[in-house]
């Protein structure tokens, strides 16, 4: 188990991650595959919208509650 604190995936952000954004690009991933981005409170909505507009966003879950499928 790593002791590193997960950080936000937003470009240039070094804040602690609070959210997991699970996504999938149906053109290149199988339907059950989930890629993840991490987000701080400030960037959760922006990253969710970025993925959502493309139809990639599948789920947004608190990092503390996330269990990979």
């Amino acid at each position: 188990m790593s002791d590193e604190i997960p950080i936000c995936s937003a470009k240039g952000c070094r804040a602690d991650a609070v959210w997991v954004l699970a996504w999938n690009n149906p053109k290149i991933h199988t339907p059950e595959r989930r890629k993840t981005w991490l987000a701080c409170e400030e960037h959760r909505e922006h990253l969710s919208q970025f993925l959502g507009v493309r139809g990639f966003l599948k789920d947004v879950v608190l990092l503390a509650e996330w269990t990979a499928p």
Side-chain angles (χ1 to χ4, degrees):
M1 178 92 186
S2 174
D3 289 333
E4 288 185 35
I5 297 172
I7 61 165
C8 182
S9 298
K11 186 175 181 177
C13 185
R14 304 301 298 165
D16 293 353
V18 179
W19 297 95
V20 174
L21 286 64
W23 61 278
N24 169 304
N25 180 341
K27 290 183 180 178
I28 60 175
H29 300 128
T30 58
E32 66 280 352
R33 173 96 187 262
R34 292 295 179 267
K35 304 278 286 178
T36 57
W37 282 355
L38 301 177
C40 64
E41 286 291 349
E42 181 180 348
H43 291 111
R44 182 188 62 84
E45 187 61 32
H46 171 74
L47 293 174
S48 293
Q49 286 179 356
F50 180 89
L51 292 168
V53 164
R54 291 158 179 77
F56 294 175
L57 187 63
K58 301 300 179 191
D59 206 3
V60 178
V61 180
L62 282 168
L63 179 59
E65 297 173 3
W66 172 255
T67 55

